[in-house]
Amino acid sequence: PHPAAPALRRLPLAAGLVLAMALHAAAAAPLQVPRVDGDITVDGHLDEAVWAQAATVDVGYEVSPGDNLPAQVKTVARIAYTDDAVLLAFRAEDPDPAKLRAYLRDRDALYGDDFVGVMLDTFDDQRRAYEFFVNPLGVQADLIKEEATGNEDDSWDGLWSSAARITEHGYDVEMRIPFATLRFRDTDQARRWGASFLRIRPRDFRYQYFNNRVERGARCLTCSFDKIEGFTGVKQGRNLEITPTLTVVHAEERDARGAPWRHPGQGNGTELEPGLDVAWTPTPNITLNGTLNPDFSQVESDQAQLDLNTSFALFFPEKRPFFLEGADYFNTPLQVLYTRQIADPDAGVRVTGRNGQQAYGVIVARDATTQVLEPGALGSGFGFLDQPADAFVGRYRYDLNASTTLGAIATVRQGTDYRNALGGFDARWQQGRHTLRSQWLRSDSEYPQALGVADTAPRGNALSAAYNYSQRAWYADLIHQRIDPGFRADLGFISQVGYDKSVIGGGRHWFGQEGAAISRISLTGDWDITHRSDGLLLERELEGYLRISAARQTQANVGGLTRVRYWNGRMFDETFASGFIGATPWPGFTFGSWQRSGDMLDLTASRMGQGVIWEPYVELDIGRSLNLKLNHSRQRLRRDGGTAFDARVLDGRLSWQLDPQQRLRLSVQAGDVKRNQALYTFPLADCPITVAPDATNCVVPVKSRVHDITAQLMYSYKVNPRTALYAGYSHGAFDIDREGEPRDAPFDSSRSVFLKLSYAWQPQF
């Protein structure tokens, strides 16, 4: 209720209505952001004169776990602007500053800390928002929020400055965001933006405070933003940025224990790769990015995954800066763009922009190799062609009105005797609690015989349609997908084709009272059925879960599923029970574990067994600077009186953040897969695979043990996201069962040193 509500009840009806209308009009009026003549020194000290002139915002609503309750602590934000930047200050009070959770971390890694920030919808169209956050030690995070998908993408890195300091009353933060970092409408008049100022305060719960109300079950967060007005006459500038890069790698490898080391490829093993990235904003509505001989190496290694009892290709997230920036422009309901398919590009150009109700993006790249995802109804894998390929992606989106968006996308990849072309349309409609999304695609492909696929000229359609209803306590989903056997998205990640799937699901939420140990309980579930394109039943599944959010930032769920699935010519019944618990019982210590057990299918042997999957993790902060993350995964399946397989993967990362710019990181990844070969030998009459006519036994070829370990030590120094130095050493060891070799430890199989330098130059003109 409005603070004036008690007074309204004491007024005569007519007078009360007049005052209520006035209060509503005042609340709806945009906040006027003043232009100031001076500037600030970004040091976390709120002592400049401009802060007395700035507009003031009270961050006064607790939107989670409370339902728009008065915030427990006081937070005041201030905003003003100069000719070339938005200026922001936050004073975040706390009754016990010693309990602030703040650590020195790498950029975009502060989400478990106390922090403050702002979300800016600079086009005021409730489609996309910039997010800028700072913790009490000055660590930055910046993201792009896309309203259509709900994604918050922290791969975007803007150039802006911030500082913070812990004080006796809490902490203070200063931020300076250049207009060149933002995109907004080009006009000589005052600009109106959507804005939300917020504070995150993790204690027993992860408290979220906003300056505006956020209703539970709301489908559109940016629609709840308050309006700010000002920024008259400011310009984005042309924002030309030229970033030369240099990567030096010296690598050696060998195939067996005691074998001499050799250099991969040709030469002496040392590769020197210069590169150049250029970013230019010729108008406020368009951004151009180009790259020559780019360094697309990944500084951070992928998280280890078990590729064991699955028939589908594993997905790894994109980490390369050229493809990450502006990635949200290319999102559609079906993932027809997965930029890791452009594996080793020699050059690339990207164009993204917005103009009124239109948004568009284009990517063109020349790839030195051709990686092809080969999908099917029951599995998928990657194939490779030893030839270069040209890749093109085009995306267009039109906002018909506040509720309806129409889009189109096309992708083409072509080589010497290879081609894949895809095109289609999509739409999104949202009105109140209802959301509809749909997409139709058509593909046409030609593959050379060298790829070894059964169909060298596949073509087909893909259709996806989804409806969602959501309100405070209830939600429901209806989804249908149909993808033809010949559909291919070679620049995307659609790993299953040749199926028809329908899903119906929903859930109910109950919210705890203020101060209760349990803040929310949810009951969710769904039923789905999948048929192959010829009508054969592939899967029918029913699952349900009870989920709880509680004190000490505890998240827990328990439930299970039962399904019948088709595999290798037969139907199998699987039933799992599963559960998850994660919590932060003390500051700087987070743990969690997901586990599943029950009747599981061994895909390699086409036999049922009793399976267990266990995935615990722990994160520990030691002091302000040291951070340890451990992720473990184990899968085990027992059948026919023995253990068919027992597999483990460990991913450990120790980081020492010397200051916000410098970090030393050690990562270790180890995997160990053991199989009982005796349990993969069968009578011919009961063989899960095709064998030679004269075979006396059916032996499924599996390795008794595969063991590997990789370690990397890396130092990084980042002046800003694009001016940085990385130096490191990697060492790998690998072993697979071989006759006559010891089994005690894997042998050293690879080693390398690397250096990467980049410098972002912004000429002024």
Side-chain angles (χ1 to χ4, degrees):
H2 194 281
L8 288 176
R9 288 194 291 268
R10 293 193 297 268
L11 291 173
L13 178 60
L17 288 173
V18 171
L19 182 55
M21 293 171 64
L23 288 171
H24 176 76
L31 176 71
Q32 298 300 312
V33 181
R35 179 196 294 267
V36 293
D37 295 329
D39 210 329
I40 62 172
T41 300
V42 183
D43 57 7
H45 292 269
L46 310 184
D47 52 5
E48 290 90 353
V50 299
W51 296 128
Q53 307 169 42
T56 301
V57 179
D58 180 28
V59 184
Y61 291 103
E62 180 189 313
V63 303
S64 179
D67 184 12
N68 294 297
L69 300 174
Q72 301 176 25
V73 291
K74 185 173 180 61
T75 310
V76 175
R78 291 179 171 83
I79 183 170
Y81 71 96
T82 65
D83 289 340
D84 60 354
V86 180
L87 309 179
L88 291 145
F90 290 83
R91 173 150 288 173
E93 297 184 9
D94 199 284
D96 190 353
K99 292 183 178 179
L100 289 172
R101 301 188 183 183
Y103 302 93
L104 286 172
R105 303 186 185 278
D106 197 15
R107 187 186 185 91
D108 295 329
L110 54 69
Y111 305 113
D113 294 2
D114 280 83
F115 63 86
V116 294
V118 65
M119 297 187 285
L120 297 173
D121 176 8
T122 55
F123 284 86
D124 192 25
D125 60 2
Q126 295 82 54
R127 305 287 180 177
R128 189 173 187 256
Y130 295 97
E131 301 182 355
F132 300 92
F133 304 136
V134 180
N135 82 352
L137 298 179
V139 175
Q140 294 182 347
D142 45 17
L143 309 90
I144 296 290
K145 177 175 178 57
E146 187 188 20
E147 194 61 65
T149 62
N151 292 336
E152 292 180 285
D153 184 5
D154 62 9
S155 62
W156 176 76
D157 287 323
L159 296 182
W160 53 290
S161 54
S162 65
R165 66 187 187 97
I166 298 175
T167 68
E168 61 183 11
H169 60 73
Y171 64 101
D172 294 341
V173 169
E174 283 184 309
M175 303 163 62
R176 188 180 190 277
I177 305 171
F179 288 118
T181 297
L182 306 171
R183 300 291 172 265
F184 44 82
R185 289 190 176 92
D186 189 18
T187 177
D188 293 329
Q189 307 301 316
R191 294 175 174 83
R192 179 176 293 191
W193 295 355
S196 187
F197 302 82
L198 66 142
R199 175 180 178 181
I200 304 299
R201 185 171 176 259
R203 298 297 185 269
D204 265 4
F205 296 93
R206 190 172 184 266
Y207 295 99
Q208 301 180 40
Y209 306 134
F210 280 62
N211 68 295
N212 51 278
R213 294 174 63 90
V214 178
E215 302 301 331
R216 284 178 174 167
R219 302 308 318 278
C220 176
L221 179 62
T222 54
C223 299
S224 70
F225 288 6
D226 286 344
K227 307 302 180 184
I228 60 176
E229 195 170 73
F231 317 113
T232 305
V234 302
K235 302 294 183 183
Q236 295 173 101
R238 297 194 176 180
N239 196 23
L240 176 64
E241 182 176 288
I242 301 171
T243 306
T245 64
L246 177 65
T247 304
V248 183
V249 179
H250 181 83
E252 295 179 324
E253 61 184 25
R254 60 182 179 179
D255 296 327
R257 193 185 311 272
W261 290 96
R262 71 174 190 277
H263 304 302
Q266 300 177 349
N268 61 2
T270 300
E271 295 184 6
L272 185 68
E273 291 289 340
L276 181 67
D277 294 335
V278 178
W280 183 37
T281 307
T283 74
N285 297 323
I286 188 169
T287 301
L288 304 176
N289 296 84
T291 183
L292 294 173
N293 195 24
D295 166 40
F296 283 119
S297 62
Q298 293 176 203
V299 174
E300 295 280 358
S301 57
D302 289 317
Q303 176 137 348
Q305 299 184 51
L306 270 176
D307 187 11
L308 184 63
N309 198 36
T310 178
S311 61
F312 289 97
L314 297 181
F315 178 89
F316 292 94
E318 179 64 87
K319 297 183 178 181
R320 300 171 296 180
F322 177 81
F323 290 124
L324 288 172
E325 295 182 16
D328 60 296
Y329 280 86
F330 301 91
N331 289 338
T332 68
L334 293 170
Q335 190 168 3
V336 297
L337 178 61
Y338 175 53
T339 49
R340 286 185 69 144
Q341 291 288 70
I342 305 175
D344 186 20
D346 295 322
V349 175
R350 183 181 68 248
V351 181
T352 55
R354 299 182 64 164
N355 187 4
Q357 295 168 279
Q358 304 175 86
Y360 49 88
V362 173
I363 296 175
V364 178
R366 174 71 170 178
D367 200 356
T369 187
T370 303
Q371 175 177 283
V372 180
L373 177 62
E374 303 171 10
L378 293 171
S380 60
F382 287 102
F384 297 90
L385 293 172
D386 188 16
Q387 60 169 274
D390 297 314
F392 166 85
V393 183
R395 170 68 168 155
Y396 176 79
R397 192 181 73 215
Y398 184 78
D399 298 332
L400 193 64
N401 52 45
S403 302
T404 307
T405 298
L406 304 177
I409 193 165
T411 71
V412 179
R413 190 164 65 163
Q414 186 162 349
T416 303
D417 51 358
Y418 156 77
R419 180 180 63 85
N420 171 254
L422 173 151
F425 303 96
D426 58 275
R428 177 179 181 269
W429 174 83
Q430 180 180 327
Q431 188 72 47
R433 306 185 187 280
H434 307 274
T435 303
L436 282 170
R437 295 185 180 91
S438 63
Q439 184 169 25
W440 171 83
L441 297 164
R442 173 75 178 175
S443 76
D444 194 324
S445 309
E446 293 180 6
Y447 298 114
Q449 294 290 341
L451 193 59
V453 295
D455 187 354
T456 58
R459 53 185 53 88
N461 300 319
L463 175 67
S464 175
Y467 166 76
N468 173 265
Y469 173 82
S470 179
Q471 50 112 318
R472 175 187 174 92
W474 294 92
Y475 81 90
D477 291 306
L478 292 172
I479 303 169
H480 182 75
Q481 290 184 344
R482 187 183 72 238
I483 301 183
D484 291 344
F487 180 81
R488 299 291 184 270
D490 286 3
L491 284 174
F493 195 89
I494 297 178
S495 60
Q496 185 178 22
V497 299
Y499 72 92
D500 193 303
K501 181 175 184 176
S502 298
V503 182
I504 181 170
R508 172 74 160 93
H509 307 299
W510 294 268
F511 299 94
Q513 298 296 318
E514 181 180 1
I518 296 177
S519 61
R520 187 173 72 174
I521 297 175
S522 301
L523 187 62
T524 66
D526 66 63
W527 177 87
D528 63 76
I529 188 167
T530 306
H531 290 88
R532 202 165 63 185
S533 295
D534 60 4
L536 176 71
L537 177 66
L538 292 181
E539 182 181 86
R540 184 173 57 245
E541 178 182 278
L542 177 66
E543 61 183 324
Y545 301 94
L546 177 67
R547 308 177 190 274
I548 296 174
S549 299
R552 299 192 180 275
Q553 300 183 52
T554 299
Q555 301 291 326
N557 69 64
V558 63
L561 67 84
T562 180
R563 69 184 177 191
V564 56
R565 65 183 296 188
Y566 175 83
W567 180 256
N568 201 17
R570 295 172 53 196
M571 303 301 295
F572 295 90
D573 292 313
E574 292 184 313
T575 301
F576 313 135
S578 66
F580 169 82
I581 184 168
T584 303
W586 307 287
F589 177 67
T590 298
F591 75 92
S593 179
W594 178 82
Q595 46 281 323
R596 169 183 283 183
S597 63
D599 299 325
M600 298 184 190
L601 174 63
D602 183 345
L603 296 177
T604 304
S606 297
R607 295 290 191 278
M608 289 297 298
Q610 288 293 309
V612 175
I613 303 175
W614 182 44
E615 296 182 354
Y617 68 88
V618 64
E619 181 173 358
L620 177 64
D621 287 294
I622 306 168
R624 295 285 194 191
S625 303
L626 282 175
N627 176 264
L628 175 65
K629 294 180 180 178
L630 294 174
N631 290 272
H632 181 263
S633 180
R634 184 177 183 185
Q635 294 187 28
R636 186 186 67 218
L637 189 138
R638 299 182 186 276
R639 60 174 175 81
D640 303 322
T643 300
F645 62 76
D646 193 348
R648 310 163 191 254
V649 164
L650 174 68
D651 189 310
R653 306 188 182 214
L654 177 65
S655 298
W656 180 20
Q657 195 77 34
L658 286 75
D659 56 43
Q661 287 75 42
Q662 299 183 84
R663 183 169 68 139
L664 189 65
R665 182 181 61 84
L666 173 66
S667 66
V668 178
Q669 296 179 340
D672 192 7
V673 179
K674 300 176 183 177
R675 289 186 185 267
N676 186 343
Q677 291 178 318
L679 293 180
Y680 291 89
T681 301
F682 307 96
L684 286 178
D686 197 24
C687 186
I689 62 173
T690 302
V691 297
D694 59 348
T696 57
N697 289 304
C698 170
V699 180
V700 180
V702 296
K703 300 295 184 182
S704 64
R705 189 179 187 190
V706 178
H707 191 189
D708 65 279
I709 184 168
T710 302
Q712 183 189 73
L713 180 66
M714 184 185 70
Y715 167 79
S716 62
Y717 180 83
K718 300 179 183 178
V719 178
N720 60 50
R722 287 180 283 279
T723 297
L725 175 151
Y726 301 92
Y729 173 74
S730 295
H731 197 101
F734 176 79
D735 201 7
I736 194 168
D737 53 334
R738 291 187 176 92
E739 293 294 333
E741 288 203 5
R743 313 297 324 145
D744 54 346
F747 67 90
D748 297 341
S749 58
S750 64
R751 59 191 184 189
S752 65
V753 293
F754 62 90
L755 174 69
K756 177 179 176 180
L757 299 167
S758 64
Y759 175 73
W761 175 47
Q762 295 180 308
Q764 302 297 318
F765 61 92

